[in-house]
Amino acid sequence: MKDVYSVIGNKIRAKLIGCLAQSPKNVTQMISVCKLSQSAVSQHLKKLRESGLVVAHKDGKEVLYSLKYPIAADISALLSDLERRII
């Protein structure tokens, strides 16, 4: 469980979780919507997949990523909000 908290608590991964909360996306869409580099998206998606929070599935030639547990978006938003209030 400790690993899940560290995964959700990372600002870039929290941003990706927020992007995926809206709808499943491919890497190109996440780069555009989240304003991150391809390498950043790929590295952090790997962590999110390894943690079990994000799943990938093929849709034709592309791979779409989505939240396995949509509540992860709420938890991530809560942590971000708490951090803003504390600082």
Side-chain angles (χ1 to χ4, degrees), residues 4-61:
V4 172
Y5 293 127
S6 66
V7 169
I8 290 177
N10 177 279
K11 290 181 183 186
I12 293 174
R13 290 190 285 270
K15 194 173 191 177
L16 289 174
I17 289 169
C19 286
L20 292 173
Q22 300 163 9
S23 65
K25 291 180 179 51
N26 64 33
V27 171
T28 303
Q29 292 168 319
M30 283 186 271
I31 291 168
S32 175
V33 172
C34 297
K35 307 290 189 242
L36 296 168
S37 70
Q38 188 273 330
S39 63
V41 169
S42 294
Q43 288 173 7
H44 290 285
L45 273 176
K46 181 180 178 191
K47 293 273 189 189
L48 289 166
R49 285 192 327 267
E50 289 172 349
S51 73
L53 294 173
V54 168
V55 293
H57 59 278
K58 280 212 164 229
D59 184 24
K61 291 184 178 183

